Amino acid sequence: MDIKLDNTGDIEIEDNDVSLLEGSEAVKQHLKIRFQTYFGEWFADTSIGVPWFQDILIKSPDYTVVGEILKATIIETPGVNDLTSFSFDIEGREATMEFKAITDNGFIDFRQEVTI
């Protein structure tokens, strides 16, 4: 169970109460948060986060390395058991990642777009 965040990242409140997430929706939210955390960003543990600026959003990135970094982030997320499909594409200043995964509570479809 997790506190539900709205589209802006704020805690969602319904009927004067904090909204909660369970199951695969909580895993999807956790994945979104993980992908939004930059490597070295959190002062309490600079070893967490995705190395967006170090290895991914650089000139001429190695797409094999990028794929492995992103796949590892997915697989290492609590509640994710397996990755069934994965794609990552950069076109111009737009990056798109899509994947399907098996979680403790069923399948999830995930898509995230980033403008560079």
Side-chain angles (χ1 to χ4, degrees):
M1 191 171 299
D2 203 357
I3 295 173
K4 184 176 183 182
L5 304 178
D6 65 17
N7 292 335
T8 65
D10 289 332
I11 295 173
E12 186 169 289
I13 302 200
E14 290 181 20
D15 300 324
N16 293 322
D17 200 8
V18 174
S19 298
L20 300 175
L21 285 176
E22 291 184 288
S24 59
E25 289 303 311
V27 174
K28 283 176 88 169
Q29 180 174 282
H30 192 177
L31 283 159
K32 184 177 178 182
I33 291 168
R34 289 192 74 177
F35 286 120
Q36 292 175 343
T37 304
Y38 293 89
F39 179 76
E41 173 183 18
W42 190 40
F43 72 94
D45 186 351
T46 57
S47 69
I48 66 166
V50 177
W52 291 106
F53 295 122
Q54 294 83 359
D55 296 318
I56 299 171
L57 301 176
I58 60 174
K59 185 176 182 178
S60 303
D62 181 337
Y63 289 108
T64 303
V65 171
V66 169
E68 294 307 313
I69 290 169
L70 296 175
K71 287 177 188 177
T73 301
I74 297 163
I75 293 295
E76 293 168 3
T77 300
V80 175
N81 298 322
D82 195 15
L83 188 60
T84 60
S85 70
F86 175 85
S87 69
F88 179 77
D89 184 47
I90 296 178
E91 188 172 318
R93 297 183 61 87
E94 304 261 331
T96 304
M97 175 180 50
E98 293 182 82
F99 64 86
K100 294 181 181 185
I102 300 171
T103 71
D104 293 340
N105 301 95
F107 287 92
I108 60 168
D109 290 322
F110 189 95
R111 177 180 171 90
Q112 185 160 347
E113 296 177 6
V114 177
T115 300
I116 305 168

